[in-house]
Amino acid sequence: MNNKFCDILIGLFLCVILEKHAIAAIVGENPNFTSLISMVAFCLIVLLFILSQKLNISKVVEPYSFIAFFLVFFIFIYGFVSTILNQMYRFELLIELFVMVILFFIAKSISLSSFKYLLNSSYLVSSLLAIILMMDRGYVFSGGINYLLISMPLGLTAILSFSNTFTVANPVLKTIYLLCFLVCFSSLFYLQSRAVFLTTIVFILSTYIYYTFHKKNYIKSVFILFLVVFFVNSFSEIFATFYSESSLHNRLDSFLAGTSNEPRNDIYSNYFSNLDIFYFSGFGLG
């Protein structure tokens, strides 16, 4: 099998696995549909490795690989026992964990070009999801996808595409990455995830500061920052209206004001206060 074609397929199949929730939202299906598709993609990846004999055994048997495998295997057994004892039978999560163990060894052996195809495919999927989300938010959630599972790939794509604007020299690619960043970042306002939004901002600022000092383009960086501030200030009313009408507005404001009611705090408190009562976690896996 042609190595380049094999790398393309592996990159695309990995994208299907990692972006399965985004794909489900795009096609308007429920998560079960894309879980099936991702399992098929996983089987095809394993088959490609067998046919092309791309698996590097020397990397698989490295000491660090065994340590990582032992750690993940322990978590797998922990989740299995906890699931059985607490009668919370989410075996599909155990299957996904097992798949991640296999993908760990596959990822250590695939070529760099496969990762490039994976990233480029992910950029495309996330950008398409962002556009659909901004055009018709109801359609995206019609399949029952949780907003966190949608916001995470959008935030990650925004961070990576922003970083790529500093690393690529081609002006066309730089423009494409910048547009990808703007689309994915803007789409976060259509979701309720404060954690992903704030984390994305922190990583964007950190990336900007890092490349400013790394490349020592202080004057250029200050000038760009000045232009951004000037642009935002010039259209402040438009941005303020956009934010006030966004899905993020109420949750982020209440969080920053310290007046939000956090159900997660109750879950965490219940978990740690009942460690001596429940087996293992008390909540099973998931």
Side-chain angles (χ1 to χ4, degrees):
M1 183 180 291
N2 184 276
N3 285 337
K4 183 176 181 181
F5 181 67
C6 183
D7 291 339
I8 293 174
L9 290 179
I10 291 175
L12 291 177
F13 292 149
L14 285 173
C15 176
V16 171
I17 295 173
L18 298 178
E19 292 271 8
K20 65 176 184 178
H21 298 295
I23 296 173
I26 291 173
V27 300
E29 294 289 342
N30 58 52
N32 293 331
F33 171 78
T34 46
S35 294
L36 175 62
I37 299 299
S38 62
M39 285 301 298
V40 173
F42 167 73
C43 294
L44 290 174
I45 289 176
V46 175
L47 180 62
L48 281 173
F49 268 87
I50 295 175
L51 294 178
S52 60
Q53 298 180 350
K54 293 175 68 64
L55 188 60
N56 191 333
I57 300 300
S58 62
K59 291 185 177 181
V60 172
V61 297
E62 290 176 353
Y64 292 115
S65 297
F66 272 114
I67 294 174
F69 176 78
F70 177 79
L71 177 62
V72 176
F73 182 73
F74 172 78
I75 295 174
F76 180 83
I77 297 300
Y78 162 85
F80 179 78
V81 175
S82 181
T83 298
I84 296 297
L85 293 179
N86 292 285
Q87 298 181 3
M88 301 185 70
Y89 303 114
R90 299 293 304 277
F91 292 111
E92 71 277 7
L93 297 178
L94 291 172
I95 294 175
E96 289 189 6
L97 183 59
F98 174 75
V99 168
M100 295 305 296
V101 174
I102 304 300
L103 287 179
F104 168 78
F105 292 103
I106 291 178
K108 289 179 63 65
S109 301
I110 66 176
S111 64
L112 181 61
S113 60
S114 292
F115 276 107
K116 291 181 179 179
Y117 292 120
L118 164 62
L119 289 176
N120 290 331
S121 302
S122 298
Y123 291 147
L124 178 62
V125 171
S126 295
S127 298
L128 181 59
L129 171 62
I131 294 172
I132 297 175
L133 177 63
M134 290 187 289
M135 293 179 60
D136 189 353
R137 186 175 183 274
Y139 170 80
V140 171
F141 290 101
S142 62
I145 303 293
N146 186 280
Y147 70 90
L148 287 173
L149 300 176
I150 295 177
S151 59
M152 290 175 65
L154 292 175
L156 182 59
T157 302
I159 294 170
L160 293 176
S161 55
F162 181 80
S163 178
N164 285 339
T165 59
F166 294 93
T167 58
V168 298
N170 189 311
V172 176
L173 289 177
K174 191 182 291 289
T175 302
I176 292 174
Y177 285 129
L178 181 60
L179 291 174
C180 181
F181 159 71
L182 292 174
V183 168
C184 290
F185 182 75
S186 300
S187 68
L188 293 178
F189 287 91
Y190 291 79
L191 300 167
Q192 306 100 303
S193 179
R194 300 160 300 185
V196 173
F197 179 78
L198 294 175
T199 302
T200 301
I201 290 180
V202 169
F203 272 94
I204 288 173
L205 292 176
S206 301
T207 301
Y208 189 78
I209 294 172
Y210 170 78
Y211 282 110
T212 296
F213 287 95
H214 180 69
K215 295 188 176 182
K216 299 181 179 180
N217 293 328
Y218 306 115
I219 298 177
K220 181 180 178 181
S221 297
V222 171
F223 179 70
I224 293 175
L225 185 61
F226 172 78
L227 288 179
V228 172
V229 173
F230 177 78
F231 178 79
V232 172
N233 184 65
S234 300
F235 299 94
S236 58
E237 292 185 4
I238 297 177
F239 287 116
T241 302
F242 173 72
Y243 173 68
S244 63
E245 295 177 352
S246 68
S247 302
L248 183 66
H249 171 246
N250 290 331
R251 298 199 74 223
L252 184 59
D253 279 7
S254 61
F255 173 75
L256 296 176
T259 59
S260 60
N261 181 24
E262 291 296 331
R264 293 186 185 93
N265 291 339
D266 297 333
I267 295 177
Y268 299 149
S269 299
N270 186 37
Y271 169 75
F272 287 108
S273 62
N274 291 285
L275 283 176
D276 59 334
I277 300 175
F278 295 110
Y279 290 100
F280 292 94
S281 69
F283 291 93
L285 182 67

